[in-house]
Amino acid sequence: MGGTTSYDARLWARPNPDTDGTTFDIGFGHESSNPTFTSETYDFGVVIFVVMSYDIDNGQTNVWINPDPSTFGNTPPTATINTTDSNAASKINLFILRQDSNKETPFLQIDELRIDSSWASVTPASGTASTSNNTINGFNVYPNPVKGNSLTVTTSSTEAKTVNIFNVL
């Protein structure tokens, strides 16, 4: 990997063509097209946690999608996708984030990027992000995803609160 026009590994997010246009699947491969894709699909607007590893010694790449938090800081679980690069890189000297096209991947938001040499260092047991530990008792939002022009936000708390809603589309 010496330039910005060739890549040893690619992580793909593509609209799932077999649905109503509200889901996507994730793929990974060393080839420039038709990588291995997950059998699972993911809803647009839902946070996905992806961890990748590349072993320079044998060209093995592992991809974990939404790994079990109980493994954080410990031994890595079985990868969601793994492949072996038949022409393994001798070093990693470049990392690129690239959007395909506005028709293929019109929007992608990266919240955090961690690059290190071990599973434990990029998935620390402490400080794991979570949406189940919010500070508003009984907080609920529906429907999710929003259909039409109505969104309902409820809570069992009677205290004053602030809620920020973002449209990622």
Side-chain angles (χ1 to χ4, degrees):
M1 291 188 357
T4 58
T5 58
S6 64
Y7 315 99
D8 271 338
R10 294 167 173 86
L11 182 69
W12 302 69
R14 72 170 179 186
N16 190 318
D18 300 327
T19 66
D20 62 2
T22 61
T23 63
F24 65 97
D25 51 11
I26 296 175
F28 178 82
H30 301 282
E31 57 279 323
S32 60
S33 62
N34 300 317
T36 301
F37 281 93
T38 58
S39 57
E40 185 174 354
T41 59
Y42 306 92
D43 292 329
F44 287 129
V46 173
V47 174
I48 304 294
F49 180 48
V50 178
V51 178
M52 297 176 63
S53 73
Y54 185 82
D55 187 330
I56 292 175
D57 295 332
N58 61 18
Q60 176 76 33
T61 303
N62 292 304
V63 179
W64 295 269
I65 301 170
N66 294 329
D68 181 353
S70 69
T71 66
F72 294 178
N74 297 308
T75 304
T78 301
T80 308
I81 303 172
N82 61 50
T83 63
T84 301
D85 186 355
S86 59
N87 189 20
S90 60
K91 63 181 179 177
I92 298 174
N93 64 346
L94 188 62
F95 184 90
I96 299 172
L97 296 173
R98 178 181 176 260
Q99 179 186 14
D100 186 16
S101 70
N102 63 0
K103 287 185 177 182
E104 294 290 324
T105 314
F107 180 79
L108 184 63
Q109 181 177 349
I110 308 293
D111 181 77
E112 183 175 355
L113 178 63
R114 300 177 192 171
I115 300 175
D116 210 327
S117 59
S118 74
W119 172 263
S121 65
V122 296
T123 59
S126 62
T128 303
S130 172
T131 57
S132 62
N133 186 15
N134 61 57
T135 58
I136 301 175
N137 292 330
F139 180 78
N140 192 16
V141 177
Y142 61 91
N144 186 8
V146 173
K147 302 222 186 280
N149 295 320
S150 178
L151 173 70
T152 302
V153 178
T154 63
T155 177
S156 60
S157 171
T158 58
E159 296 177 17
K161 58 201 76 49
T162 301
V163 175
N164 294 315
I165 299 173
F166 299 92
N167 180 350
V168 296
L169 300 177

